[in-house]
Amino acid sequence: MLRGSRVALARLLSRIENHPDSADDLLRPLADRIGRAIRIGFTGPPGAGKSTMVSAYVRLLRTHDQKVGVLAVDPTSPFSGGALLGDRVRMSSISTDEKVFVRSLATRGGLGGLAEAAADMADVLDAAGCDTVIFETVGVGQSELEVAQHADCTVVVLVPESGDSIQGMKAGLMEIADVFVINKADREGAARFASELRAAMNLKEWGEWIPPAVMTVAVKNEGLTEFQESVSRHWKFLNDSGLLARRRAARLRRRCQRLVEHKLLADFWTGERKAILDAGIIERKSPYEISGELLKNRG
Ligand SMILES: Nc1nc2c(ncn2[C@@H]2O[C@H](COP(=O)(O)OP(=O)(O)OP(=O)(O)O)[C@@H](O)[C@H]2O)c(=O)[nH]1
Ligand SMILES: [Mg+2]
């Protein structure tokens, strides 16, 4: 993979996606090659145009001869099986490019595993020499928001109609945005929504990064230059303010804690402990008493 083989890269990514246990051995020798790539997360409601936007942005990065990795996290809903195919079609113009590596991650339905797999795979793409690694996730569930947290810069893609529910949206998407994109600006209400967003963002304290709101028509490549300028400005801010180093350290800390927790949990539930648990329930003991007993004979 380090000699530039796409086949090897694809194989490594599959291995990590399908056999999380192998990530340790695979990632260890790559550790000192990780950290060069800019990681950008695109998130937002279903159908907002994230994939179209990512494709347009990747084409733009390609004009600067960047090597790009894209990790598209499939919509969580088991009912939207068509979306993946749609993504394939929409991203087909970039996926035949030698210096672009597009990969879809299936939602496993498990806890958090997806975010961890995405982070590991981003590390591999980074080590493989990608200048930019892009995550695309649907911003609805917890695990999608977690994936977004693995990015240096989070782009929240909205549509003019999102303005109607800006209050309800505040809780999740509003907080994580570094850059807002109001895509489908060929539809009515985009400018009004953009100024509403800007007004809401300007309430932030001075000295902080104020997320800009960029209007785009991704299907027509419109607004892409302005978008790129916003991302570049944010990247400069991240570096100048020292926030990049802090964010990355926080991210690594969280990942390490997660790994420790997974490992401890996996080791904890022995047959004997499961028996203690079941016996306690049959004896109608309080959950506190049962958990106390379980933790007493630990280690
Ligand atoms: N009118 C208009 N349509 C757009 C624009 N950008 C994307 N679309 C269309 O919107 C639809 C959804 O686009 P996608 O890029 O698949 O959206 P997405 O957010 O990736 O969707 P999911 O991954 O399924 O959540 C497609 O039919 C696009 O052609 C735009 O700027 N204007
Ligand atoms: Mg998509």
Side-chain angles (χ1 to χ4, degrees):
M1 181 200 80
L2 293 176
R3 283 195 299 268
S5 160
R6 283 176 69 89
V7 177
L9 173 58
R11 236 188 265 150
L12 254 172
L13 292 173
S14 300
R15 186 75 76 79
I16 283 178
E17 188 182 5
N18 302 322
H19 306 282
D21 289 344
S22 64
D24 184 2
D25 288 340
L26 297 177
L27 288 177
R28 236 179 248 226
L30 298 179
D32 60 354
R33 295 173 183 272
I34 290 164
R36 219 181 50 84
I38 301 179
R39 301 180 186 203
I40 305 181
F42 284 74
T43 190
K50 298 177 294 296
S51 299
T52 315
M53 192 64 201
V54 167
S55 303
Y57 185 53
V58 170
R59 282 194 299 271
L60 186 65
L61 293 175
R62 289 298 299 128
T63 65
H64 300 284
D65 202 33
Q66 283 208 18
K67 189 168 170 180
V68 189
V70 179
L71 295 170
V73 178
D74 291 351
T76 32
S77 166
F79 306 110
S80 59
L84 175 57
L85 185 63
D87 274 350
R88 287 237 171 93
V89 174
R90 268 189 289 288
M91 291 196 177
S92 62
S93 69
I94 56 170
S95 60
T96 50
D97 186 323
E98 267 288 298
K99 289 197 175 170
V100 178
F101 203 94
V102 181
R103 187 70 182 227
S104 286
L105 273 84
T107 300
R108 290 210 202 91
L111 277 165
L114 187 65
E116 267 123 57
D120 288 346
M121 290 164 83
D123 278 354
V124 172
L125 288 165
D126 188 344
C130 287
D131 302 287
T132 302
V133 175
I134 293 173
F135 301 101
E136 181 196 330
T137 60
V138 181
V140 284
Q142 188 55 39
S143 72
E144 287 77 14
L145 292 180
E146 271 172 32
V147 174
Q149 283 169 3
H150 289 299
D152 300 318
C153 173
T154 297
V155 178
V156 171
V157 182
L158 301 168
V159 290
E161 297 76 27
S162 307
D164 302 337
S165 54
I166 188 168
Q167 297 304 329
M169 228 162 45
K170 267 192 179 133
L173 288 180
M174 302 299 271
E175 267 80 36
I176 60 168
D178 295 308
V179 174
F180 285 105
V181 165
I182 299 163
N183 188 41
K184 309 199 184 183
D186 49 331
R187 303 208 301 221
E188 212 177 308
R192 185 166 19 91
F193 181 31
S195 49
E196 275 171 22
L197 259 181
R198 285 178 196 133
M201 287 304 130
N202 275 319
L203 297 175
K204 287 200 165 196
E205 278 172 52
W206 195 85
E208 262 183 83
W209 171 256
I210 297 171
V214 185
M215 288 191 280
T216 62
V217 184
V219 276
K220 292 185 191 156
N221 269 328
E222 284 175 27
L224 262 295
T225 309
E226 200 195 343
F227 170 70
Q228 191 191 26
E229 278 163 15
S230 293
V231 173
S232 301
R233 267 197 300 123
H234 182 251
W235 180 245
K236 188 173 181 319
F237 168 80
L238 282 178
N239 282 285
D240 293 352
S241 63
L243 183 60
L244 181 69
R246 288 201 299 280
R247 265 193 188 177
R248 287 185 165 186
R251 203 159 77 200
L252 272 176
R253 203 174 300 127
R254 203 162 45 228
R255 270 174 85 187
C256 296
Q257 284 171 340
R258 277 294 183 78
L259 286 173
V260 168
E261 283 156 18
H262 282 316
K263 183 103 187 55
L264 285 177
L265 272 182
D267 294 343
F268 185 81
W269 288 110
T270 58
E272 192 191 346
R273 289 210 178 90
K274 282 182 187 155
I276 293 175
L277 174 65
D278 289 339
I281 288 168
I282 289 167
E283 290 165 38
R284 307 188 66 157
K285 289 180 181 169
S286 102
Y288 292 93
E289 188 179 352
I290 300 172
S291 54
E293 282 174 10
L294 283 165
L295 290 169
K296 201 160 46 189
N297 51 26
R298 178 173 39 161

